[in-house]
């Protein structure tokens, strides 16, 4: 199903007129979308410098997003419940656990995200640092 159709189904059933974003997770889109569908992944993190570089607004509480599979079809709809920034080196074990990846430990999270952010920032002409700001977002799956 495409994102527009999924949103129309959800919005009609729930009498919602809000807007939404549609996106897929970074390197491992399908595996991460599957974790959201299973209720394991309830948070995500992104590199703050990329928001600055692209002039993009940060996510906001109450915002809806359609999580896409890597083929751009719709996996599910989430609603953001909390947004905050943290230095990469200060991301909490709770945030790492909520992201649901690997063994859900902070050490695993740091390794995977250090590698991902380094590549992502390098591709944008920026450099990763341990004190770089990270946008942490918590969410709930609302559909299906």
């Amino acid at each position: 199903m495409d994102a527009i159709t999924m949103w129309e189904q959800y919005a009609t059933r729930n009498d919602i007129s809000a807007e939404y974003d549609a996106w897929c997770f970074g390197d491992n889109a399908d595996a991460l979308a599957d974790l959201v569908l299973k209720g394991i992944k309830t948070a995500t993190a992104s590199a703050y410098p990329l928001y600055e570089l692209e002039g993009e607004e940060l996510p906001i509480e109450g915002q809806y997003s359609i999580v896409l599979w890597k083929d751009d079809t719709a996996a599910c709809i989430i609603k953001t419940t909390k947004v905050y920034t943290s230095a990469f080196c200060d991301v909490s074990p709770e945030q790492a656990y909520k992201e649901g990846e690997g063994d859900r430990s902070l050490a695993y999270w740091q390794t995977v995200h250090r590698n991902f952010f380094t590549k992502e920032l390098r591709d944008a002409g920026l450099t990763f640092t341990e004190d770089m700001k990270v946008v942490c977002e918590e969410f709930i799956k609302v559909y299906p």
Side-chain angles (χ1 to χ4, degrees), residues 61 66 68 82 84 92 97-98 106 113:
E61 292 178 20
I66 298 180
L68 303 173
K82 184 177 181 180
Y84 63 96
S92 71
Y97 184 83
K98 289 175 183 179
L106 180 59
H113 285 79

Side-chain angles (χ1 to χ4, degrees), residues 127-141:
T127 303
F128 170 81
T129 63
E130 293 287 324
D131 62 349
M132 173 194 83
K133 283 173 60 175
V134 174
V135 179
C136 299
E137 181 179 356
E138 296 180 20
F139 54 82
I140 56 171
K141 178 179 67 100

Side-chain angles (χ1 to χ4, degrees), residues 2-11 16-23 62-68 74 76-79 142:
D2 65 36
I4 293 170
T5 303
M6 181 176 276
W7 180 253
E8 287 173 351
Q9 287 179 3
Y10 177 73
I16 295 173
S17 61
E19 294 183 21
Y20 66 91
D21 286 327
W23 45 266
Q63 181 177 20
Y64 291 93
S65 296
I66 298 180
V67 176
L68 303 173
C76 61
I77 300 174
I78 60 173
K79 184 177 182 180
V142 295

Side-chain angles (χ1 to χ4, degrees), residues 26-128:
D27 281 348
N28 207 354
D30 285 358
L32 297 176
D34 190 53
L35 290 174
V36 175
L37 281 171
K38 292 177 178 173
I40 297 168
K41 182 172 183 62
T42 60
T44 192
S46 49
Y48 182 84
L50 295 176
Y51 285 91
E52 289 182 312
L53 181 68
E54 297 167 8
E56 188 177 333
E57 292 185 24
L58 297 181
I60 56 172
E61 292 178 20
Q63 181 177 20
Y64 291 93
S65 296
I66 298 180
V67 176
L68 303 173
W69 299 108
K70 68 180 175 185
D71 68 0
D72 286 336
T73 58
C76 61
I77 300 174
I78 60 173
K79 184 177 182 180
T80 301
T81 58
K82 184 177 181 180
V83 179
Y84 63 96
T85 60
S86 173
F88 178 87
C89 60
D90 293 333
V91 168
S92 71
E94 293 79 18
Q95 174 71 22
Y97 184 83
K98 289 175 183 179
E99 290 206 28
E101 300 171 43
D103 66 2
R104 302 179 86 172
S105 70
L106 180 59
Y108 181 89
W109 183 93
Q110 288 172 331
T111 299
V112 169
H113 285 79
R114 184 179 293 111
N115 293 339
F116 177 72
F117 290 152
T118 297
K119 179 187 177 306
E120 190 176 38
L121 290 166
R122 183 178 49 237
D123 291 348
L126 301 171
T127 303
F128 170 81

